[in-house]
Amino acid sequence: MQIEIFSIKYYNDIIDIWTKAGINIGSSDTKEEIEKMRKRNPDLVLIGKIDQKVIAVVLGGYDGRRGYVHHLAVDPDYQKKGYGKILMDELILRYKKMGVHKIHLFIEKYNISVFNFYENLGWQIREDLIMMSYIPDEKLYKLKL
């Protein structure tokens, strides 16, 4: 698998992968929102390709202190072959080069089947935190597109 920095021309490909992988696509996943993230984190939004076909994606974000992993997904036709680990290893390497102390990711409760994947990569469930969200403009936010 060849890892590349994401280009917006692959937007439809990543939406297809997320949909096939069962990731909810919401209002923060529009083309415009993904482009904002790509511009803010130009070296952390990655895709994996085999024979020029996009088969994997991860959105990495950095807030100046911590790294974040969003929407790591591998096309189901290519899962269980190590591609998710390869993509995550590359993202973590980039965070290490930036001197990031800690990286977080969020797993939606309906997607608990990925717990083992992340635990096998060394991730730990935080029992000391509760995630909370605030919607500053309810006209913008939609859980699903």
Side-chain angles (χ1 to χ4, degrees):
M1 179 179 72
Q2 179 182 344
I3 297 174
E4 296 180 10
I5 292 174
F6 172 75
S7 165
I8 203 65
K9 70 182 179 183
Y10 296 115
Y11 175 77
N12 291 334
D13 296 307
I14 66 168
I15 291 297
D16 185 52
I17 291 169
W18 289 337
T19 301
K20 286 183 190 176
I23 292 176
N24 287 326
I25 310 298
S27 57
S28 62
D29 299 315
T30 64
K31 194 173 202 175
E32 295 77 21
E33 293 297 312
I34 298 299
E35 181 63 3
K36 278 193 233 177
M37 183 160 190
R38 186 198 64 79
K39 284 181 178 177
R40 187 176 183 119
N41 302 280
D43 298 324
L44 301 176
V45 180
L46 306 173
I47 56 171
K49 292 167 76 177
I50 293 181
D51 297 327
Q52 300 305 309
K53 175 182 170 56
V54 178
I55 61 115
V57 59
V58 66
L59 305 180
Y62 179 60
D63 69 6
R65 295 187 324 134
R66 293 183 177 93
Y68 294 89
V69 178
H70 302 280
H71 287 10
L72 171 68
V74 175
D75 183 312
D77 293 339
Y78 295 85
Q79 289 179 1
K80 309 284 188 212
K81 297 179 176 157
Y83 298 128
K85 180 185 182 321
I86 291 168
L87 199 56
M88 185 62 86
D89 287 348
E90 177 63 25
L91 182 60
I92 289 171
L93 178 64
R94 291 172 186 235
Y95 282 132
K96 283 181 180 178
K97 287 179 181 176
M98 294 169 69
V100 173
H101 291 223
K102 191 185 323 183
I103 306 164
H104 299 294
L105 61 82
F106 305 101
I107 300 170
E108 294 180 304
K109 288 186 176 185
Y110 76 86
N111 198 13
I112 60 169
S113 63
V114 300
F115 281 6
N116 288 340
F117 169 79
Y118 288 112
E119 284 181 332
N120 288 337
L121 295 181
W123 291 80
Q124 300 170 355
I125 294 172
R126 297 280 305 263
E127 301 291 345
D128 60 327
L129 296 176
I130 295 173
M131 185 197 161
M132 296 177 72
S133 296
Y134 177 78
I135 311 300
D137 185 346
E138 293 191 18
K139 290 177 264 172
L140 287 177
Y141 177 75
K142 293 177 186 67
L143 182 59
K144 291 189 179 189
L145 285 182

